[in-house]
Amino acid sequence: MDFRKRMQLRFGFARQSRLHNFYVLAARGQHLLSKASFVNTTLASALRTAALAFSVAAMPAFAQNVIKIGEINSYKAQPAFLDPYKKGMELAIEEINATGGVNGKQLQLITRDDNASPGDAVRAAEELLSREKVDVLSGAFLSHIGLALGDFAKQRKVFFLAGEPLTDKMVWQNGNRYTYRLRASTYMQVAMLVPEAAKLKKKRWAVVYPNYEYGQSAAATFKQLLKTAQPDVEFVGEQAPALGKIDAGSVTQALADTKPDAIFNVLFATDLAKFVREGNTRGLFQGREVVSLLTGEPEYLEPLKDETPNGWIVTGYPWYGVQTPEHKAFYLAYHRKYNDHPRLGSVVGYSMIQALATGIRKAKSTDNEKLVDAFIGLKFSTPYGPVMFRKQDNQSTMGAFLGRTKNEGGKGVLVDYRYIDGATVQPSDDVVKKLRPAN
């Protein structure tokens, strides 16, 4: 390594002209500096080195004034939900930091894409902890990835707030002390739909769902709860295409061939759009009731446009009709920042950051054990109103809207909707105790 490079490494790539000239002259062996000039240059170099040492020493102090939130999600695989979700998080962080932050510290969001892979998600979590030194872990959209991160949290004994993965295993069979979940689960949302399904008094049902943890969990829960509510029900057909790879024509025809009275659908995103198009074309929905999970969420309902089916019983989010003071404030702030209306992902992302901020305030720390204890029974605010985390299974009581779809002038909307509190659609504590292992 030549003299100039060694000097640059030592003194931090100084750019002052005098020091630069010294590098050049010294490298060429042209020792033309006078003794006084050399002393001055050396003094300047020493001062710069001291300043650099001071700035490095100050870095830990700066880091101590920031709370780092590590967030892992399938941003590239599920942009319809996760783009608004990220915007919701950023809005919440902006609002919280503008009012002084949390415990005198500013919040900082550091995101990673999991490539819809459990292995990549776990590697991202490890990197966020070891290299980025994040204080808390959060995120996950797909259920199998949420389960992988929940297990990572258990093994590493680190706090993890799962925002979106819906599988019941998240807080029951695979539940653990370190993992909390915000969004209403498959059990909760199916329990909202089943009473309406039972009122239809349809005997022959067909079921269609994406063939991974979320879809399997939702279909199994629907069968179980509807059979309890209506013992004479028959499930005559079942289709489970791979997530994102539906052959909509074949699935639609297979369902039609079973001649069901009604259909329970769990498909979402592009799979849902393809299924609706083929179902409309082939007349699958004519004269049949459809009960559908998630279809009323703007992320999935709005893209259907003039293909929106009428009368489906769905869970969703009618952003244009939520009248809580919290939602009005949220809607105005979101629209002001993004010049767009919120989606359900926006609500979930915003609420997750609010939950984290409230929990960290209560714990007065980001210590994992203190955070876990602080979240037990934690009450926090969301655009839907007050929500809490249940002591018995670390599940929040965040609810959902139930209504029917309507094609209104070529635009899909939710009508006849009502909010159902998540606390009212939980199994008994005895059931949870049997399902969930001890922490």
Side-chain angles (χ1 to χ4, degrees):
M1 183 182 297
D2 65 27
F3 181 73
R4 180 180 180 181
K5 289 183 178 178
R6 282 189 281 116
M7 294 292 284
Q8 286 177 328
L9 287 174
R10 181 179 177 187
F11 295 112
F13 296 89
R15 287 184 172 83
Q16 289 94 335
S17 60
R18 184 183 301 177
L19 193 54
H20 175 73
N21 289 337
F22 174 71
Y23 290 152
V24 173
L25 292 171
R28 292 176 179 174
Q30 299 176 15
H31 304 291
L32 303 178
L33 291 173
S34 67
K35 183 177 179 180
S37 177
F38 179 81
V39 170
N40 288 339
T41 304
T42 303
L43 179 60
S45 299
L47 289 173
R48 181 168 179 81
T49 301
L52 178 62
F54 177 80
S55 67
V56 170
M59 286 175 65
F62 173 76
Q64 290 172 5
N65 290 323
V66 173
I67 295 172
K68 293 183 177 182
I69 300 171
E71 208 280 340
I72 304 163
N73 240 309
S74 306
Y75 291 103
K76 289 182 287 189
Q78 299 293 333
F81 191 95
L82 292 173
D83 284 352
Y85 169 88
K86 190 174 184 181
K87 289 179 178 178
M89 288 193 295
E90 291 170 344
L91 174 62
I93 286 175
E94 180 181 284
E95 291 179 351
I96 292 167
N97 286 344
T99 57
V102 178
N103 299 338
K105 300 179 180 181
Q106 297 286 284
L107 299 183
Q108 180 184 356
L109 182 66
I110 303 175
T111 63
R112 293 291 184 270
D113 197 298
D114 57 35
N115 298 310
S117 162
D120 285 358
V122 170
R123 283 187 285 274
E126 188 64 64
E127 182 263 340
L128 285 169
L129 290 173
S130 61
R131 191 172 77 179
E132 296 291 348
K133 307 296 182 186
V134 299
D135 297 289
V136 293
L137 286 176
S138 62
F141 176 87
L142 298 171
S143 287
H144 57 305
I145 290 175
L147 291 175
L149 289 173
D151 184 65
F152 174 85
K154 177 183 177 181
Q155 300 302 324
R156 289 291 305 273
K157 292 182 169 54
V158 294
F159 177 88
F160 171 55
L161 177 56
E164 172 64 20
L166 302 184
T167 177
D168 299 315
K169 290 180 181 178
M170 201 76 221
V171 295
W172 291 347
Q173 293 91 335
N174 293 31
N176 63 77
R177 165 176 167 78
Y178 297 92
T179 300
Y180 284 75
R181 197 247 307 277
L182 172 66
R183 180 86 189 275
S185 67
T186 51
Y187 181 96
M188 294 164 68
Q189 294 195 57
V190 169
M192 297 175 190
L193 290 166
V194 162
E196 300 303 314
K199 290 177 185 176
L200 300 174
K201 300 188 184 302
K202 301 298 183 181
K203 186 175 181 179
R204 294 169 56 84
W205 283 80
V207 179
V208 57
Y209 57 90
N211 194 15
Y212 78 109
E213 177 57 37
Y214 151 72
Q216 296 160 5
S217 176
T221 302
F222 181 79
K223 291 177 184 179
Q224 174 195 343
L225 295 184
L226 186 59
K227 192 75 175 176
T228 300
Q230 185 183 336
D232 68 341
V233 70
E234 297 176 11
F235 291 97
V236 297
E238 184 170 312
Q239 290 291 305
L243 176 64
K245 298 179 180 180
I246 187 173
D247 180 345
S250 297
V251 167
T252 300
Q253 189 60 53
L255 291 174
D257 289 344
T258 66
K259 297 180 170 54
D261 300 324
I263 298 168
F264 177 61
N265 168 66
V266 193
L267 301 172
F268 65 96
T270 55
D271 286 341
L272 172 68
K274 293 174 183 177
F275 176 61
V276 167
R277 181 172 297 118
E278 284 295 329
N280 285 338
T281 300
R282 298 171 185 245
L284 177 64
F285 311 130
Q286 291 179 8
R288 291 190 175 101
E289 296 282 0
V290 179
V291 176
S292 191
L293 199 60
L294 311 184
T295 303
E297 297 173 11
E299 290 88 335
Y300 312 131
L301 184 59
E302 290 177 357
L304 299 180
K305 298 180 181 177
D306 59 357
E307 295 180 311
T308 300
N310 283 304
W312 286 20
I313 301 171
V314 299
T315 55
Y317 167 49
W319 58 268
Y320 33 79
V322 184
Q323 298 300 318
T324 66
E326 296 92 340
H327 187 270
K328 290 179 180 178
F330 165 72
Y331 172 83
L332 289 173
Y334 191 93
H335 191 273
R336 189 181 306 116
K337 182 173 177 61
Y338 300 114
N339 194 31
D340 194 8
H341 69 77
R343 276 73 174 173
L344 184 60
S346 317
V347 174
V348 175
Y350 183 90
S351 300
M352 189 178 72
I353 297 299
Q354 293 293 348
L356 286 171
T358 304
I360 294 169
R361 286 192 192 101
K362 182 181 175 183
K364 299 180 180 178
S365 170
T366 54
D367 174 81
N368 287 298
E369 299 299 332
K370 291 180 180 178
L371 263 182
V372 168
D373 290 340
F375 265 73
I376 297 173
L378 180 73
K379 297 179 181 178
F380 60 102
S381 179
T382 77
Y384 290 170
V387 170
M388 68 172 288
F389 285 101
R390 289 158 42 100
K391 179 179 180 180
Q392 55 269 54
D393 57 8
N394 296 1
Q395 169 65 48
S396 96
T397 59
M398 188 176 190
F401 285 85
L402 184 73
R404 285 187 178 262
T405 58
K406 182 180 180 181
N407 189 327
E408 196 171 77
K411 178 181 178 182
V413 296
L414 199 60
V415 296
D416 301 329
Y417 50 81
R418 67 184 188 279
Y419 181 72
I420 299 180
D421 188 337
T424 67
V425 284
Q426 301 278 7
S428 69
D429 290 351
D430 287 340
V431 170
V432 171
K433 191 172 182 179
K434 291 176 182 177
L435 290 171
R436 182 179 168 90
N439 283 332

